[in-house]
């Protein structure tokens, strides 16, 4: 399958995921037509755009979101559904690269995204099956040392939501003998990601926001004093433009193309397993991810399916057979699921930055962007949406910190970023297999 880029093609359909098949009812929003004006225009109706927009309409701004496909069509509506605190880059890495003050700042917000999600679900009565707790698992003694170091590091910043689990303690949460142990984060969680998107979109519209779907952006004038967004059938002129297309923005804004690389990950959902069988797999209904460089992640859905994900394809292309790729890993974790029927399988892209640190910035005086969550977009997008809204509302304190963090291009530029990253992934995958 070719790399998906809604920025140019658009589509009336979500991917063939379990989430799309079980989504809450939602209206089809009209496409952008004619020449319109608005205070603030946001490109992208995923978590970043919806988080930014919802914070702004709560403050009374007139906001419109332009979406190339449907609300939640990209990574926000097809991810693993795991509320995992932190950034891809560790606090230790951030301290080494950017100094203690930046690490202190990052530590102050690593749990904020989850808090925003829980607040949104409660305030706007969003039905997305939100449940508490996530578990990181280690397969080797080296992995367990890494987890203990992570727990101790976060505790040194005053974050005390995490507890180590030895093999016996972990067995109470995960019905598998594969792992050496793990660490539970009580402030993490999991949910139906597309229904969270749809609920946030409904809240945004209830407060006066406008969403235009099926409106692929073909050009953005980001340097104008009043930026202009052009689609096939209309234009939107605004006082402030916010670009939140992330891995699916394509080449519409060339200045952003080289900053990130689309990376494909794969997921599948089994048939409903029934209460007894599902509870034997995950007795406490926590979500799980291991700590390998190319990791596996899994959780139960509300109707007792197992969603299992993993795999990484740099550049955003998709494997021909998702089930064939994921089934061996799932059956290694859960041999009892050998041959279980898989009802849904799908792909999705996330945007990887070279530093694994998300990027906030401006193009021109009145165009903002946020992208590059590097696999931690569920929480990061909600946090950065709030920071963007604060900056647009006049408080640039937190925005300025992230805007000043240097970004680095992938070695070799756009042509070599995929092979370079593949070599790196092979190296770290070999270390995982050798237990190093």
């Amino acid at each position: 399958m070719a790399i998906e880029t809604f920025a140019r093609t658009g589509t009336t359909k979500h991917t063939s995921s379990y989430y799309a098949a079980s989504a809450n009812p939602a209206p089809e929003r009209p496409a952008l037509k004619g020449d319109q004006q608005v205070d603030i225009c946001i490109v992208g109706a995923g978590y970043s755009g919806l988080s930014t927009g919802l914070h702004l309409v709560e403050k009374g701004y007139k906001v419109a979101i332009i979406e190339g496909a449907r609300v939640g069509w990209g990574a926000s509506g097809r991810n693993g559904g795991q509320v995992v605190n932190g950034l891809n880059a560790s606090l230790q890495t951030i301290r080494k690269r950017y100094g203690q003050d930046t690490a202190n700042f990052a530590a102050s917000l690593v749990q904020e995204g989850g808090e925003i999600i829980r607040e949104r679900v409660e305030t706007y009565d969003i039905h997305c099956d939100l449940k508490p707790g996530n578990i990181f698992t280690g397969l080797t003694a080296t992995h367990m040392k890494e987890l203990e170091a992570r727990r101790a590091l976060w505790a040194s910043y005053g974050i005390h939501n995490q507890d180590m689990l030895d093999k016996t303690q972990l067995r109470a949460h995960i019905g598998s003998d594969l792992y050496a142990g793990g660490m539970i984060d009580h402030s993490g969680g999991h949910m139906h990601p597309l229904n969270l998107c749809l609920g946030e979109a409904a809240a945004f519209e209830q407060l006066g926001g406008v969403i235009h779907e099926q409106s692929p952006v073909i050009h953005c004038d980001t340097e104008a004093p009043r930026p202009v967004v052009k689609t096939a059938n209309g234009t939107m002129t605004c006082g402030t433009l916010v670009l939140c297309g992330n891995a699916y923005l394509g080449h519409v804004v060339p200045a952003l193309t080289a900053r990130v690389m689309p990376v494909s990950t794969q997921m599948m959902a089994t048939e409903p397993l029934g209460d007894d069988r599902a509870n034997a797999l995950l007795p406490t209904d926590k979500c799980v991810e291991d700590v390998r460089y190319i990791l596996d992640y899994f959780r139960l859905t509300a109707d007792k399916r197992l969603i299992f994900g993993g795999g990484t394809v740099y550049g955003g292309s998709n494997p021909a057979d998702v089930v064939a790729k994921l089934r061996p890993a799932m059956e290694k974790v859960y041999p009892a699921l050998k041959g279980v029927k898989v009802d849904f399988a799908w792909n999705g892209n996330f945007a990887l930055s070279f530093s694994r640190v998300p990027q906030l910035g401006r193009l021109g005086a009145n165009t903002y962007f946020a992208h590059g969550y590097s696999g931690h977009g569920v929480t990061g997008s909600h946090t950065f949406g709030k920071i963007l809204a604060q900056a647009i509302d006049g408080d640039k304190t937190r925005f300025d910190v992230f805007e000043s963090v240097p970004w680095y291009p992938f070695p070799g530029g756009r042509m070599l970023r995929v092979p370079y990253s593949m070599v790196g992934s092979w190296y770290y995958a070999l270390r995982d297999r050798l237990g190093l």
Side-chain angles (χ1 to χ4, degrees):
M1 184 182 297
I3 299 173
E4 296 167 291
T5 52
F6 73 62
R8 292 191 182 277
T9 60
T11 176
T12 60
K13 298 180 180 179
H14 283 280
T15 188
S16 56
S17 69
Y18 163 76
Y19 302 131
S22 58
N24 295 331
E28 293 190 12
R29 285 89 175 179
L32 177 66
K33 293 183 179 180
D35 298 323
Q36 301 189 29
Q37 299 195 25
V38 71
D39 292 344
I40 300 163
C41 176
I42 299 171
V43 174
Y47 290 146
S48 292
L50 291 168
S51 177
T52 305
L54 187 49
H55 283 292
L56 288 167
V57 293
E58 287 175 333
K59 296 176 182 292
Y61 287 93
K62 182 181 178 184
V63 185
I65 298 177
I66 298 177
E67 165 59 43
R70 300 292 305 277
V71 167
W73 181 88
S76 298
R78 59 174 92 179
N79 62 79
Q82 301 205 17
V83 180
V84 178
N85 294 308
L87 308 176
N88 185 303
S90 70
L91 294 176
Q92 182 179 15
T93 298
I94 291 172
R95 179 182 61 79
K96 288 180 179 179
R97 287 180 185 163
Y98 312 118
Q100 188 63 58
D101 288 345
T102 302
N104 292 340
F105 172 76
S108 73
L109 54 78
V110 292
Q111 293 183 301
E112 186 172 351
E115 294 167 357
I116 293 170
I117 290 170
R118 287 187 287 272
E119 182 274 325
R120 291 315 197 199
V121 168
E122 181 178 358
T123 299
Y124 295 106
D125 191 27
I126 298 174
H127 296 183
C128 63
D129 306 317
L130 179 62
K131 298 176 181 178
N134 74 282
I135 296 173
F136 302 94
T137 57
L139 286 81
T140 66
T142 299
H143 290 164
M144 293 305 296
K145 290 179 182 178
E146 292 174 2
L147 284 170
E148 175 55 41
R150 183 190 303 187
R151 187 206 63 78
L153 178 64
W154 281 44
S156 72
Y157 286 96
I159 303 170
H160 300 286
N161 302 104
Q162 302 167 334
D163 290 314
M164 296 299 297
L165 302 169
D166 63 23
K167 189 177 183 71
T168 300
Q169 291 169 323
L170 182 67
R171 198 63 170 77
H173 298 280
I174 305 172
S176 173
D177 293 319
L178 179 65
Y179 303 110
M183 182 182 74
I184 186 169
D185 185 342
H186 302 285
S187 61
H190 60 102
M191 46 71 204
H192 189 300
L194 180 54
N195 281 340
L196 176 61
C197 255
L198 297 175
E200 291 177 339
F204 172 75
E205 291 172 318
Q206 288 167 10
L207 295 177
V210 175
I211 299 175
H212 296 284
E213 294 182 321
Q214 308 302 334
S215 302
V217 173
I218 59 178
H219 179 72
C220 290
D221 184 349
T222 61
E223 300 295 328
R226 287 181 59 80
V228 181
V229 176
K230 183 178 180 181
T231 70
N233 297 305
T235 62
M236 183 72 76
T237 303
C238 56
T240 302
L241 173 61
V242 187
L243 300 172
C244 295
N246 210 25
Y248 291 95
L249 193 59
H251 299 276
V252 172
V253 183
L256 298 182
T257 302
R259 282 177 167 259
V260 294
M261 175 174 61
V263 177
S264 172
T265 184
Q266 295 80 48
M267 281 150 279
M268 64 183 186
T270 69
E271 64 184 343
L273 301 173
D275 288 344
D276 292 344
R277 199 176 184 190
N279 292 341
L281 302 179
L282 290 165
T284 58
D285 203 8
K286 304 291 188 287
C287 63
V288 181
E289 66 173 61
D290 65 50
V291 297
R292 294 176 300 168
Y293 187 80
I294 300 178
L295 54 83
D296 294 329
Y297 51 93
F298 51 93
R299 67 183 187 88
L300 293 175
T301 64
D303 58 351
K304 302 301 182 180
R305 302 171 186 267
L306 185 74
I307 287 185
F308 194 95
T312 299
V313 182
Y314 293 94
S317 60
N318 297 323
D321 190 335
V322 171
V323 177
K325 182 174 183 178
L326 294 181
R327 185 183 285 278
M330 180 185 70
E331 293 179 355
K332 187 175 182 179
V333 177
Y334 291 122
L337 292 182
K338 185 174 180 62
V340 70
K341 185 174 182 289
V342 172
D343 284 345
F344 301 93
W346 66 99
N347 303 274
N349 290 349
F350 63 87
L352 182 76
S353 69
F354 180 66
S355 67
R356 272 53 171 183
V357 176
Q359 299 171 14
L360 284 180
R362 277 182 289 190
L363 303 174
N366 296 313
T367 298
Y368 294 76
F369 67 87
H371 65 192
Y373 302 112
S374 302
H376 283 250
V378 172
T379 53
S381 57
H382 284 84
T383 304
F384 279 49
K386 183 175 182 179
I387 294 172
L388 282 171
Q390 289 171 336
I392 293 166
D393 193 46
D395 181 2
K396 293 185 172 59
T397 305
R398 300 204 295 173
F399 176 87
D400 286 346
V401 173
F402 265 104
E403 187 180 32
S404 67
V405 172
W407 71 278
Y408 303 98
F410 287 88
R414 288 170 54 191
M415 293 297 294
L416 295 180
R417 63 183 178 176
V418 173
Y420 172 88
S421 298
M422 288 177 64
V423 170
S425 72
W426 293 336
Y427 168 75
Y428 285 108
L430 178 61
R431 286 176 58 90
D432 284 331
R433 286 196 296 272
L434 296 177
L436 301 176

